[in-house]
Amino acid sequence: MQLTLEFGGGLELLCESVKIHNVNVDPAEDGGDKLTMKSLLAWVRTNLIKERPEMFMKGDSVRPGVLVLVNDCDWELSGQLDTTLEEKDVVVFISTLHGG
Amino acid sequence: MDEAEVVKPKKNAVGGRLCCLCNQRRPALKRPKTLEQICRECFYTVFEEEIHRVIVDNQLFKPGERIAIGASGGKDSTVLAYVMSELNRRHNYGLDLFLLSVDEGITGYRDDSLETVKRNEIQYGLPLKVVSYKDLYGWTMDEIVKIIGLKNNCTFCGVFRRQALDRGAALLKVDKLVTGHNADDIAETVLLNILRGDIARLSRCTSITTGEEGPIPRCKPFKYTYEKEIVMYAYFKRLDYFSTECIYSPNAYRGFAREFIKDLERLRPRAILDIIKSGEDFRISTSTKMPEQGTCERCGYISSQKWCKACVLLDGLNRGLPKLGIGRSRGPNSDRQRDMKQSNGTRDIQSKQCGTLDF
Ligand SMILES: [Zn+2]
Ligand SMILES: [Zn+2]
Ligand SMILES: [Zn+2]
């Protein structure tokens, strides 16, 4: 599944200062043709985060203070970890924890 | 809580819920304050108008005043500069607005964030004044860190910045300084002051205006504004801000209090406002006496001691004794007094002391 992932608010520093990643994630790991945010986060942690993963995740979700938008919509409206992703979705992660 | 209720497939534009304010457009975010699901346009309106209400209800400004916006290039002060200039126009506040930045002299950090502020100057049409540690004190933070190392550098940063802002404000001849402290920051400060048993600061830290007895009063129009909404606003409006951590504040140290607040917010977003409310209700008529006002014999800055804290630190630096003025060598009483005086109405918290360069 083709997705665009964007890291902002300082999170890009955890993935070699690259803000936008066009990625291909295999939904089969989720046991079907659906990919949930929960498994995307696990994938991101393994494949994109190069340092200090604790700045990005806590438990199996993002660290509190990291905002997530799916297609420019707050993931709190779409079920957070249960949000299902579709082809060409854009997922944005922004840290609120940097800078004043 | 009501996490369970929002299991709603995204992009379900037809069957999905609509914005609960306009009932027309698809919601774009869930407000932490109210849990309302609102669209982008309604969000802009409520976000800006709530800040307007805070400004009006607390009579933060008078027509004709000159106001400096403490600008670090970070998210809070960038959004503050944008919203202040919008509201000033829209509601005819009649204010003369300026951006005021401090250049601590931190290569690879401050120079980059200052570039952001310089772009803001053009984008928002607000005149910018930059005051530098080098000009004011003869030292950059890079030079100071070379001498004292990474351990106490935040003491220097904090003391110098507070004074630098006051001096910059004086140069601009402004009546007030506004800063981007948000509701999360204030809740965090309340908690830290409770944990330290610092009643004097606890009573003060929730005030929307502080330092009225000092040279330049400071106020916080974002006192009730959630960090989440500030960042969402900046994101949706594509505002240009800088978000790299300070190289002298390793690991983006935020402190346990911040972490705790963010954890609480996830469980119950109202918690942030409730903590601020608790802090306000704690406002005890303190028996702790504020030390008497005086001025520094060397530089003329307000001080309860012979020399102000910045001059003590500078003297140590210039004499090659940089540890002078750091730490608690005297008795707890004189130390406490000095602290109180030095903080002079501004907050003094651990986790945002230096790295974020948040004023
Ligand atoms: Zn609406
Ligand atoms: Zn510092
Ligand atoms: Zn002095």
Side-chain angles (χ1 to χ4, degrees):
Chain A
M1 181 180 293
Q2 296 272 88
L3 299 169
T4 301
L5 310 182
E6 196 181 319
F7 296 83
L11 285 177
E12 67 277 13
L13 299 175
L14 308 182
C15 22
E16 298 173 319
S17 296
V18 177
K19 285 197 173 188
I20 296 173
H21 300 252
N22 291 303
V23 299
N24 207 333
V25 183
D26 185 6
E29 290 167 31
D30 246 20
D33 52 357
K34 295 278 188 204
L35 178 71
T36 62
M37 274 303 298
K38 186 175 174 178
S39 43
L40 177 69
L41 285 177
W43 186 92
V44 167
R45 186 185 175 138
T46 311
N47 294 281
L48 294 182
I49 303 291
K50 299 290 194 258
E51 55 178 294
R52 290 176 293 162
E54 72 281 1
M55 299 291 295
F56 179 61
M57 287 185 70
K58 184 167 182 175
D60 58 6
S61 191
V62 290
R63 179 181 177 197
V66 172
L67 306 181
V68 184
L69 295 104
V70 180
N71 300 332
D72 270 357
C73 180
D74 187 356
W75 79 330
E76 292 190 40
L77 298 178
S78 57
Q80 292 168 308
L81 288 174
D82 297 328
T83 308
T84 53
L85 297 166
E86 289 163 30
E87 193 68 30
K88 301 248 164 31
D89 275 353
V90 179
V91 184
V92 177
F93 302 98
I94 313 170
S95 174
T96 63
L97 302 170
H98 277 101
Chain B
M1 275 242 33
D2 41 28
E3 254 96 57
E5 77 172 25
V6 283
V7 187
K8 184 128 285 188
K10 80 198 160 65
K11 293 192 295 191
N12 193 353
V14 185
R17 226 182 282 187
L18 293 172
C19 165
C20 64
L21 293 180
C22 65
N23 230 338
Q24 284 175 8
R25 291 173 291 257
R26 256 188 66 211
L29 83 157
K30 187 166 166 184
R31 294 200 76 192
K33 234 181 237 190
T34 60
L35 307 182
E36 291 166 309
Q37 310 195 3
I38 59 175
C39 71
R40 212 187 267 210
E41 287 77 3
C42 290
F43 170 55
Y44 295 154
T45 310
V46 293
F47 181 89
E48 292 158 6
E49 289 310 303
E50 272 184 19
I51 294 158
H52 172 61
R53 282 302 350 145
V54 169
I55 288 171
V56 171
D57 292 348
N58 294 279
Q59 302 173 322
L60 294 189
F61 312 115
K62 293 192 206 69
E65 278 185 331
R66 294 164 66 88
I67 307 292
I69 301 164
S72 67
K75 59 186 164 54
D76 298 307
S77 58
T78 299
V79 174
L80 182 64
Y82 179 86
V83 171
M84 281 291 296
S85 52
E86 275 299 303
L87 293 178
N88 190 34
R89 242 191 317 268
R90 187 182 307 160
H91 295 289
N92 300 309
Y93 291 166
L95 303 176
D96 269 329
L97 299 175
F98 302 86
L99 298 172
L100 174 58
S101 291
V102 177
D103 182 359
E104 294 88 347
I106 304 176
T107 311
Y109 177 71
R110 192 30 125 209
D111 41 2
D112 289 352
S113 57
L114 275 175
E115 287 309 310
T116 311
V117 182
K118 284 176 192 160
R119 285 196 299 274
N120 292 162
E121 176 184 23
I122 297 161
Q123 290 155 349
Y124 311 152
L126 303 175
L128 164 68
K129 172 85 195 160
V130 180
V131 287
S132 78
Y133 283 8
K134 187 73 182 173
D135 290 347
L136 291 176
Y137 310 114
W139 292 79
T140 66
M141 268 316 284
D142 286 341
E143 290 163 350
I144 293 173
V145 168
K146 233 177 248 162
I147 296 205
I148 63 161
L150 286 173
K151 195 144 175 270
N152 289 306
N153 66 80
C154 281
T155 305
F156 284 86
C157 232
V159 170
F160 285 177
R161 183 177 317 109
R162 189 169 305 132
Q163 220 183 82
L165 278 171
D166 279 336
R167 294 199 188 279
L171 288 170
L172 284 170
K173 297 190 175 60
V174 293
D175 301 290
K176 266 171 209 142
L177 174 67
V178 294
T179 61
H181 292 114
N182 59 46
D184 298 50
D185 295 332
I186 293 168
E188 178 190 84
T189 314
V190 168
L191 277 187
L192 285 170
N193 285 330
I194 289 173
L195 294 174
R196 288 194 193 121
D198 191 337
I199 297 296
R201 284 212 180 96
L202 178 58
S203 311
R204 235 174 17 215
C205 72
T206 54
S207 305
I208 193 158
T209 303
T210 53
E212 281 154 308
E213 70 290 343
I216 313 273
R218 298 178 178 209
C219 54
K220 314 178 186 92
F222 283 172
K223 177 180 171 188
Y224 302 104
T225 308
Y226 275 61
E227 192 159 63
K228 171 179 172 180
E229 294 198 353
I230 291 171
V231 174
M232 283 284 189
Y233 188 87
Y235 174 74
F236 287 141
K237 290 253 179 190
R238 300 287 187 259
L239 299 186
D240 181 10
Y241 69 91
F242 181 82
S243 52
T244 299
E245 66 201 73
C246 174
I247 50 176
Y248 295 141
S249 161
N251 304 322
Y253 173 67
R254 299 295 306 187
F256 63 92
R258 191 58 157 213
E259 185 98 21
F260 180 60
I261 292 215
K262 291 291 183 192
D263 286 346
L264 280 180
E265 181 189 17
R266 180 168 281 183
L267 294 170
R268 207 175 81 86
R270 283 265 335 165
I272 289 177
L273 286 183
D274 291 345
I275 292 171
I276 296 176
K277 181 75 172 57
S278 305
E280 288 171 342
D281 291 347
F282 259 114
R283 213 165 278 167
I284 305 160
S285 59
T286 60
S287 51
T288 334
K289 260 178 65 187
M290 294 291 281
E292 275 160 46
Q293 293 281 354
T295 50
C296 170
E297 284 181 8
R298 251 176 75 153
C299 73
Y301 190 72
I302 41 151
S303 174
S304 58
Q305 310 284 316
K306 220 169 90 170
W307 286 7
C308 73
K309 183 95 176 167
C311 283
V312 173
L313 290 172
L314 259 182
D315 184 54
L317 273 178
N318 291 330
R319 283 165 48 197
L321 301 165
K323 296 275 148 60
L324 217 67
I326 298 175
R328 300 157 204 286
S329 42
R330 305 188 202 187
N333 276 334
S334 74
D335 200 58
R336 173 167 225 137
Q337 273 208 345
R338 212 157 24 129
D339 274 3
M340 270 174 66
K341 183 37 162 254
Q342 289 303 335
S343 73
N344 197 34
T346 50
R347 69 180 194 157
D348 215 27
I349 64 164
Q350 299 294 343
S351 67
K352 257 196 159 183
Q353 222 170 27
C354 157
T356 65
L357 300 161
D358 191 341
F359 309 124

